[in-house]
Amino acid sequence: MSPRIRAARAANSRRFVAAPIVALLAVVIFLLAAFPFRVYPAAEDKPAFVMEEYCSTFAWAPDNRIAIGVYRVYNHKKYTLEGDDLWIASPDGKRTRIIEGAKLVKVDKPQSFKINEISWSPDSQKLAIYKTTYSLAGDKDTLTSGDLTELLDTAGREITIQGVKENPLVGGYQATWLADGSTVAFLTEVVKPREFVEIHTVNVTTGQSQKLFDPHQFISVVWDAAHNRAIAIERDKGMSGPAKLVSLDLLHGTRKEIADLESAQGQLTISPSGKRVAFFYDGDVLEVRDLAAPSKFIHVRVGLGKYEWAPDERHILLKRGPESRSGNLMWVSIPDGNFTTAMNDLVYRDFHYSPDGRFIGLLRVTRNLAIYQSSSFSP
């Protein structure tokens, strides 16, 4: 769970549902005491840009701009609420706040929220924002929550779905704009906690929405939005037969089987060139397959954790342990599986490569965001 718990506080009752500032200070003091290391890299590894504010999450656009959720506390009538402002920055440090967090609240009742994920359209002109909202139920101090995805342009204006009475993106997550500029693909949960998911699309111009590939369900999906497709690990509803690696045409709703899989546990990724995929197999083993020769594969024992492909596609960058916790980063070579310390062996909360591999964003334990040339940390 995030160290920040967003919630509403009833001012007239003096009863806190959450105390964000106190909790934040306590977490920072704990982290500084528990991890007696340098927070900043060495002087020769000076970042191109640092966002000093407390950042919730960030995402790279295809044109190398960065969308950043920045934590804020704000007032609404008699309530003190928590949310995230949305900023867009470039790697040289130029930045613009495109929306204040309070304006993302669309209801009259007090509501706090957290931006969980941000994704960009292939043309870098639109955003999909997945957030969790927290509201007080009625006159009671009972907290309720819900998930939804909202669509915005880069000026912070909401993109409405035409001709619909109810938002089909309520409950949807991991949304992406496709290359046609009007279709959004997203996932919905079938078995909690996201053990099995379904794929849906909605066209914002016509309002037409549909569930794709029924009766198939998926344990992991990675988008290739620029080509209107996804690669996924599939299971049917009856859980009969092996898992399958499949390629999915998201505009036409067609699927192509790539390979049967002996075992698969998710965290599917696609390499920067789009030629290889990887996923966890048998606990802490990463399986890598070439999409041009999918019957051939290699296994690399890496340990469970969050990982991304390095630009050279001969390494992955791995943060071992639970995704929600900070950890140090390691290069893992493919296929021999050698480990090398990365990023000066410092501890980070999260990281993402830019789509072209030129930059890497590092979310520090103090939640400020540092942007580096990726060549500064070559494996």
Side-chain angles (χ1 to χ4, degrees):
M1 180 179 291
S2 168
R4 302 175 304 142
I5 303 176
R6 289 157 176 77
R9 176 173 65 86
N12 58 349
S13 67
R14 298 175 158 259
R15 198 172 156 199
F16 284 82
V17 178
I21 301 301
V22 174
L24 175 58
L25 290 174
V27 169
V28 171
I29 291 170
F30 169 79
L31 288 172
L32 292 175
F35 297 95
F37 44 71
R38 291 179 296 115
V39 175
Y40 293 91
E44 64 270 25
D45 297 327
K46 184 178 179 180
F49 157 54
V50 176
M51 191 80 169
E52 294 288 358
E53 289 85 350
Y54 188 98
C55 301
S56 310
T57 188
F58 70 100
W60 290 95
D63 67 1
N64 279 347
R65 286 183 294 168
I66 315 143
I68 310 168
V70 175
Y71 172 73
R72 286 287 181 264
V73 177
Y74 56 96
N75 296 318
H76 175 80
K77 298 180 180 178
K78 60 183 180 180
Y79 296 96
T80 299
L81 305 172
E82 298 178 69
D84 292 311
D85 293 348
L86 190 61
W87 291 72
I88 291 180
S90 56
D92 62 5
K94 295 179 181 178
R95 67 194 92 174
T96 303
R97 184 174 65 178
I98 66 168
I99 195 164
E100 295 180 34
K103 295 180 180 179
L104 284 174
V105 177
K106 304 295 195 303
V107 295
D108 292 332
K109 62 182 179 180
Q111 185 182 88
S112 292
F113 69 93
K114 172 187 176 183
I115 295 179
N116 303 304
E117 299 169 355
I118 306 170
S119 67
W120 288 82
S121 59
D123 64 0
S124 302
Q125 297 304 307
K126 305 180 187 72
L127 297 156
I129 308 297
Y130 168 61
K131 69 180 190 180
T132 300
T133 61
Y134 303 89
S135 304
L136 289 176
D139 296 329
K140 301 179 180 179
D141 286 347
T142 302
L143 201 62
T144 61
S145 63
D147 296 332
L148 76 154
T149 294
E150 294 184 346
L151 308 175
L152 304 170
D153 65 19
T154 53
R157 295 183 293 260
E158 182 180 6
I159 299 173
T160 58
I161 301 172
Q162 301 299 317
V164 298
K165 294 182 179 180
E166 296 183 2
N167 184 0
L169 289 167
V170 172
Y173 67 98
Q174 198 178 313
T176 186
W177 288 90
L178 300 186
D180 67 347
S182 59
T183 303
V184 176
F186 59 99
L187 305 181
T188 59
E189 186 178 62
V190 178
V191 177
K192 296 182 179 182
R194 299 185 182 178
E195 291 186 9
F196 293 95
V197 301
E198 295 174 335
I199 297 175
H200 297 251
T201 58
V202 60
N203 187 295
V204 299
T205 303
T206 65
Q208 180 182 2
S209 60
Q210 57 183 328
K211 180 173 68 174
L212 302 180
F213 314 114
D214 194 37
H216 302 287
Q217 299 175 349
F218 308 92
I219 63 172
S220 195
V221 178
V222 60
W223 308 120
D224 182 6
H227 300 97
N228 299 317
R229 70 164 182 164
I231 304 296
I233 299 172
E234 173 191 283
R235 297 303 302 263
D236 59 32
K237 287 184 176 179
M239 293 290 291
S240 60
K244 294 180 181 295
L245 186 67
V246 295
S247 177
L248 306 171
D249 185 323
L250 298 169
L251 286 184
H252 300 98
T254 57
R255 57 183 284 278
K256 178 183 178 182
E257 295 185 8
I258 298 173
D260 288 347
L261 304 178
E262 180 180 340
S263 177
Q265 293 170 289
Q267 288 201 48
L268 178 67
T269 61
I270 188 167
S271 67
S273 68
K275 295 180 179 179
R276 294 199 289 176
V277 296
F279 53 90
F280 276 103
Y281 161 94
D282 191 27
D284 60 354
V285 175
L286 199 68
E287 181 167 304
V288 180
R289 293 200 182 226
D290 190 324
L291 293 177
S295 61
K296 298 179 181 180
F297 57 86
I298 58 175
H299 285 161
V300 183
R301 189 171 296 277
V302 299
L304 282 172
K306 170 189 164 56
Y307 74 96
E308 289 190 5
W309 290 85
D312 65 7
E313 299 195 9
R314 294 182 292 106
H315 297 81
I316 64 165
L317 184 58
L318 173 72
K319 177 174 73 70
R320 277 179 163 175
E323 186 171 350
S324 61
R325 294 184 181 178
S326 300
N328 61 335
L329 305 179
M330 303 290 293
W331 298 114
V332 184
S333 60
I334 298 173
D336 51 280
N338 292 332
F339 284 75
T340 307
T341 298
M343 283 58 178
N344 299 322
D345 203 26
L346 303 182
V347 172
Y348 293 96
R349 184 77 179 182
D350 200 2
F351 66 94
H352 294 294
Y353 275 106
S354 63
D356 64 4
R358 291 173 52 207
F359 299 95
I360 186 168
L362 300 173
L363 193 59
R364 296 166 172 163
V365 293
T366 49
R367 284 283 190 172
N368 52 359
L369 176 64
I371 305 299
Y372 292 88
Q373 292 276 350
S374 62
S375 58
S376 300
F377 299 103
S378 298

